[in-house]
Amino acid sequence: MNLTEHFTLEELTTTEHREYKNEPSPSERTNLVRLANFLEQVKVALGGKPVMVNSAFRCKEVNDAVGSKDTSQHRLGCAADIRVPGMTPNQVVQAIMAADLPYDQLIREFDRWTHISIPNNPEGKPRGQTLIIDNKGTRLYSA
């Protein structure tokens, strides 16, 4: 089911942990529509390149299985981990920052993917927080 022109409910709920039903509630589905609309803006900022979603919504069981915190925005349908063919995660972060998109968090994770999120509440103000997470820990982003 398409949520937007380029993003489907299936790709925003897919998981390798098929033993769990990773089905969003109605409010989580509403957040996924907001997230998909935001990912369309990301796609434009990246020059129309494909935005490959590694992970977006995670039910509690899936979130626990991947070792993430209960406070993860993935639990609410407000975050996605993405890859963009032909771009490094650092290039993705820089392009999104340059486009001045209203993200909540933008994280270069382990130089393998980019985490991006929207505010948990539709009326919420985006924090615009940009970080790096790697084997040195978590710190503010610097190019």
Side-chain angles (χ1 to χ4, degrees):
M1 172 183 148
N2 276 27
L3 299 177
T4 61
E5 181 180 356
H6 298 104
F7 299 96
T8 67
L9 179 63
E10 292 76 20
E11 75 182 302
L12 296 182
T13 58
T14 192
T15 178
E16 293 178 6
H17 296 278
R18 302 205 192 293
E19 66 271 26
Y20 302 117
K21 263 187 134 172
N22 197 40
E23 292 184 12
S25 69
S27 64
E28 293 160 346
R29 189 180 279 229
T30 297
N31 285 339
L32 286 171
V33 171
R34 288 193 307 119
L35 179 62
N37 279 301
F38 184 72
L39 290 173
E40 292 287 354
Q41 294 177 52
V42 169
K43 184 175 178 64
V44 169
L46 300 174
K49 289 183 166 76
V51 174
M52 314 296 288
V53 178
N54 297 342
S55 178
F57 174 74
R58 298 182 196 140
C59 69
K60 177 161 179 43
E61 294 82 7
V62 169
N63 201 58
D64 289 348
V66 300
S68 191
K69 298 177 183 175
D70 279 337
T71 55
S72 169
Q73 289 180 287
H74 288 276
R75 289 278 295 110
L76 303 172
C78 292
D81 295 336
I82 62 172
R83 290 176 296 107
V84 179
M87 294 182 78
T88 67
N90 197 57
Q91 290 170 324
V92 172
V93 167
Q94 290 178 346
I96 292 169
M97 289 173 64
D100 202 27
L101 294 181
Y103 59 85
D104 194 55
Q105 281 191 318
L106 181 61
I107 308 172
R108 187 183 83 200
E109 292 197 46
F110 300 98
D111 286 322
R112 295 196 340 239
W113 65 86
T114 305
H115 168 100
I116 191 159
S117 67
I118 57 175
N120 296 347
N121 180 327
E123 291 82 36
K125 183 179 183 326
R127 292 178 286 176
Q129 186 178 52
T130 311
L131 303 169
I132 296 171
I133 297 176
D134 58 19
N135 56 4
K136 296 177 188 171
T138 302
R139 60 194 178 279
L140 290 175
Y141 177 85
S142 61

